[in-house]
Each structure stands twice: as structure tokens, then as C-alpha cells.
Amino acid sequence: MELTFITDLGQPFVVEIDPNMELENVMALLEAESGIPIAEQSISFENKELDDPKRTMQELGLSGDKVMLLLRRKVINPAGQPVQQDAEMMRLQILGDPNLMNQLRESQPEIADAALNNPQRFAELLRQTQERQYQAELDQQREISRLNADPFDLEAQRKIEEAIRQQGVLENLQHALEYSPENFGRVTML
């Protein structure tokens, strides 16, 4: 049986397996092919996550050739703690640092209010922010792939040129912030 796995970024992996192979062995094979560790893999088939590592491909309902599956990375915290605890630790750090709290009030007043009054709401807002950032990165990767698909499309080349120019501007800004921060702040002489 030939299975095609596609990552979130659209990278395909084709593997030839026996239908009686267990899911955990397929995941080990995918680790060798894709470089994604087993602990970070999540395999879906027809919008259903395959989560029983001891079941065979046939038992999981996969048959025939060219079955499309989605292999995506699971987000694992380096400390191995649940996201809720990480959010609570971040909330406590914000509460303990008045300067950080003032910055948060200016840039994200809703999150600052939740940090003060509602820990569950803070964790939810933090999760939503992380999801938005991940989705924006994913959309950017898809847009780059789409633009690179046709090298002779003049409009796509203009957009690529603009993206490169914008990236250069952001790199210059980061460089200036790092090496000349006095240009971006107020200095009061006594």
C-alpha cells in the first residue's frame, strides 16, 4: 500500500508500507523520512486523528493505494507542562513586573485586564494570539509557494520583490533597534 503524507506546509512524503503495519511503526518510518520526531507527529485521515499506535493500517480503515493523510506537528512545551500552567506562569511574571504590565496595558489592554482579573480569560487570549501568529506564518508560507509556482507571472514577481523589500526594511529596523536604541526613545538630560 502506498501512502502519501502531507505536512501543514504542503511538503509531501510518499511511503510504501504493508497494510498490516502498526501505526507506531509507520510513525517511526515517517520520522526517518521527514525528520519530524514521533512525539510531534499527529496523523489524520478523513478529518479523524489516528491515535491508537498498536492498531494496523487496515484496522484503522486505510486500504488501497494513494491514501492522503495529514502529518502535522504537535506543539509541545519544552518544560513538558500543560499550556495552562505556562500561561499562569506568564501571567504571574507580568503581574510581578510593573514596567511589563504598563507596556501590556498600552499595546494589549484586553490581555492586561485579563491578567489582572481573570486567569482563565488570560490563558484563552494567549492561546488565541498564538494561534493567530501560527496561522499568519502558515498563510505566508502558502502565499510564497503560490507566488513561486509560476516564475513568469509578472504580478507574482512584483509581489515577491515587494516582500523582499519589506523584509529588508524590517531587518534594518531590527538592526537599528538593537545597535542604536537611543534613536527610538526619549532622552531627558538633567
Side-chain angles (χ1 to χ4, degrees):
M1 151 190 299
E2 186 178 275
L3 298 180
T4 303
F5 295 86
I6 300 177
T7 66
D8 282 348
L9 300 177
Q11 186 177 15
F13 295 97
V14 179
V15 293
E16 184 77 31
I17 64 161
D18 179 53
N20 294 322
M21 186 180 261
E22 294 176 342
L23 179 61
E24 65 185 353
N25 294 330
V26 172
M27 292 174 85
L29 182 62
L30 284 170
E31 180 178 20
E33 289 287 323
S34 68
I36 300 173
I38 292 173
E40 296 180 18
Q41 292 180 12
S42 176
I43 302 173
S44 299
F45 173 64
E46 294 179 353
N47 294 325
K48 184 180 139 227
E49 187 170 349
L50 307 179
D51 55 2
D52 188 354
K54 295 295 182 187
R55 293 182 70 188
T56 67
M57 295 290 103
Q58 206 166 31
E59 292 172 344
L60 291 167
L62 295 154
S63 61
D65 286 346
K66 305 212 186 268
V67 176
M68 300 298 287
L69 298 172
L70 175 68
L71 171 69
R72 53 189 162 86
R73 291 183 181 261
K74 287 182 182 174
V75 177
I76 296 178
N77 297 327
Q81 298 174 336
V83 175
Q84 187 71 26
Q85 285 184 340
D86 286 349
E88 182 61 18
M89 289 182 67
M90 186 180 289
R91 187 181 79 83
L92 293 174
Q93 185 177 10
I94 290 169
L95 291 175
D97 186 348
N99 292 330
L100 189 58
M101 179 56 93
N102 288 334
Q103 287 177 353
L104 189 60
R105 276 191 189 118
E106 290 175 12
S107 62
Q108 299 283 334
E110 185 180 9
I111 293 177
D113 183 54
L116 284 170
N117 303 318
N118 189 343
Q120 288 79 22
R121 177 75 177 138
F122 177 80
E124 177 63 22
L125 289 171
L126 186 62
R127 185 189 59 75
Q128 289 174 359
T129 302
Q130 290 169 341
E131 284 179 5
R132 278 194 303 271
Q133 289 172 344
Y134 175 74
Q135 189 61 40
E137 289 173 12
L138 194 59
D139 290 344
Q140 183 181 14
Q141 287 293 330
R142 287 183 184 141
E143 179 68 12
I144 289 170
S145 296
R146 188 186 65 75
L147 292 175
N148 288 331
D150 184 9
F152 300 109
D153 183 7
L154 292 177
E155 185 61 31
Q157 293 301 314
R158 276 194 277 279
K159 288 182 180 180
I160 291 171
E161 181 182 5
E162 178 61 25
I164 292 170
R165 188 189 69 73
Q166 187 65 33
Q167 184 178 2
V169 169
L170 291 174
E171 286 174 1
N172 287 340
L173 177 62
Q174 284 181 327
H175 185 270
L177 285 170
E178 185 173 341
Y179 295 107
S180 303
E182 65 275 5
N183 293 329
F184 297 93
R186 237 183 301 176
V187 178
T188 305
M189 302 291 284
L190 294 177

